[in-house]
Amino acid sequence: MIPQANPGASYRGLKPEIDAAVARALNSGWYILGAEGRAFEAAFAGWLGSTHAVGCANGTDALCLALRALGIGPGAAVATVAHTAVATVAAIEMVGATPVLIDIDPLHYTMDPVELAELLAHPPAGLPPIRAVIPVHIYGQAADLDAILALCARYDLRLIEDCAQAHGATWRGQKLGTFGAVGTFSLYPTKNLGALGDGGVVATSDPALAAELAALRQYGWRQHYISDSAGVNSRLDEVQAAILQVKLAHLDAHNASRQAIAGAYDAALPAHIAPPARRAEGAHVFHQYVVRVADRPAVQARLRAQGIGTGVHYPMPVHTQPAYAGRVALGPAGCRASAVAAGEVMSLPMYPELTEAELARICVALGQL
Ligand SMILES: *Cc1c(COP(=O)(O)O)cnc(C)c1O
């Protein structure tokens, strides 16, 4: 069976380097917030093009820390999308703010800026003032940042980019995560940059914000045992930070492999299945390669019968999930395009370690769909 994602292959592909890094971290005798974490943060910021990066426990916490550092909490609304990992919406509620969910542009699956403009021009009665926007650069491709940045400037909104699926993707030549006040990244094992456990990182080029993020992730400490702000415990450990330094050095090559696999899929798809749309303004790093099929269960079963795994990201938009249905605020479009997409999207196997033989097998099967 060719799995849809394969974090084990990612470890095996870099095993000697990763094992050496893990041994180094273990032998150091220092396991939380030390030299490995600082080295990873400096390397990540340098790679991204921001001045600061602050490691944390996971991508959900990265969003929470960003919101808290920007002073977004109870009494504020935050606009985001329903077509995302539930973590994006959960993080907004974790800090006590009110999410409001905008629909997607069905071609690129990212926040529809026309609807965002409508929402900002006519905010619904009863909704707290909208203070921030979290576009999700889903599947490895940018949301329409020109339009979203213009609205943030016009309405004085903080922009937090959810880059959990977009490590290395660009907009007009600049890496995602450097456009807003803060960019947040998950380092979950299957992401384009993945730890071998949980991890997250927050990037900013504002030194005061970076200092606040670093304090908030450890009880609000700026010096030991003195909490200047009401913080949390959300630290990236030294073993993961050591592994991530190895993975980061290979990230650009790994993204290039993902793009090559995407190109092979494009060429193999039958005429009735459209390849994913690419935006002209930036590079797509293919966290997922997603196509739409009306008869998804049947298509998945046919591929499974040939030993090819597929995934669905995600089967239910956030506003229809039991925890949120009927109580989460929606934009004027009612997230209808998100609901349609959730019923049709299908993700093909996508990881840099996919072999030539496996890729060829998948392409033959795609051509027969
Ligand atoms: C994975 C993901 C998250 C959450 O990251 P965790 O590390 O699992 O907490 C948030 N947003 C998006 C878009 C994601 O894909």
Side-chain angles (χ1 to χ4, degrees):
M1 188 76 182
I2 303 172
Q4 196 269 324
N6 197 345
S10 171
Y11 168 55
R12 288 187 295 277
L14 299 170
K15 183 169 163 38
E17 276 184 81
I18 289 175
D19 288 354
V22 170
R24 186 180 71 220
L26 294 179
N27 285 320
S28 76
W30 189 278
Y31 305 115
I32 298 283
L33 297 187
E36 297 292 348
R38 285 192 297 274
F40 169 67
E41 289 170 345
F44 187 82
W47 168 84
L48 188 70
S50 62
T51 59
H52 297 82
V54 177
C56 64
N58 55 66
T60 312
D61 280 2
L63 286 162
C64 289
L65 291 167
L67 288 162
R68 279 169 166 266
L70 291 167
I72 311 282
V78 179
T80 188
V81 286
H83 186 73
T84 182
V86 76
T88 314
V89 180
I92 295 168
E93 292 201 337
M94 280 166 73
V95 302
T98 303
V100 50
L101 307 184
I102 306 284
D103 211 354
I104 52 168
D105 143 18
L107 200 56
H108 305 99
Y109 305 102
T110 52
M111 179 180 278
D112 177 3
V114 176
E115 188 191 353
L116 177 63
E118 205 177 315
L119 176 75
L120 292 166
H122 308 285
L127 190 73
I130 300 171
R131 301 276 190 226
V133 181
I134 307 183
V136 178
H137 302 311
I138 201 161
Y139 303 147
Q141 174 162 247
D144 181 349
L145 282 172
D146 289 356
I148 293 169
L149 282 164
L151 289 168
C152 287
R154 176 160 174 204
Y155 290 94
D156 190 25
L157 308 174
R158 304 285 87 79
L159 174 62
I160 300 169
E161 298 176 73
D162 184 343
C163 304
Q165 304 191 5
H167 317 68
T170 60
W171 181 262
R172 302 197 185 284
Q174 183 181 329
K175 285 205 177 82
L176 303 185
T178 60
F179 287 88
V182 183
T184 70
F185 296 80
S186 167
L187 306 171
Y188 184 79
T190 58
K191 308 286 182 175
N192 290 40
L193 177 63
L196 301 179
D198 270 316
V201 62
V202 187
T204 180
S205 287
D206 176 337
L209 213 49
E212 180 64 6
L213 288 162
L216 285 172
R217 73 169 162 186
Q218 179 162 246
Y219 322 127
W221 288 355
R222 282 173 191 264
Q223 51 178 312
H224 256 60
Y225 309 121
I226 314 280
S227 295
D228 290 304
S229 16
V232 297
N233 175 359
S234 181
R235 298 176 295 218
L236 179 67
D237 72 69
E238 291 285 280
V239 172
Q240 297 306 331
I243 293 167
L244 285 161
Q245 289 169 68
V246 173
K247 292 283 205 88
L248 180 62
H250 295 275
L251 178 54
D252 291 338
H254 283 172
N255 280 342
S257 299
R258 288 173 180 270
Q259 289 163 339
I261 293 165
Y265 287 162
D266 289 346
L269 285 171
H272 64 98
I273 301 179
R278 273 77 148 180
R279 293 186 187 275
E281 299 89 341
H284 193 318
V285 293
F286 289 97
H287 173 59
Q288 302 294 356
Y289 185 99
V290 173
V291 294
R292 287 210 191 208
V293 285
D295 49 348
R296 183 171 65 199
V299 175
Q300 289 189 288
R302 283 171 64 188
L303 289 171
R304 197 179 314 117
Q306 297 179 71
I308 297 165
T310 55
V312 176
H313 303 95
Y314 296 90
M316 278 180 106
V318 175
H319 69 289
T320 67
Q321 298 187 21
Y324 300 93
R327 67 172 190 83
V328 73
L330 304 184
C335 294
R336 283 187 291 274
S338 301
V340 174
E344 297 180 353
V345 290
M346 181 180 79
S347 309
L348 296 179
M350 178 52 82
Y351 40 93
E353 299 78 14
L354 202 65
T355 66
E356 288 293 334
E358 288 168 334
L359 181 58
R361 237 178 81 200
I362 298 165
C363 287
V364 169
L366 291 177
Q368 294 165 350
L369 284 177

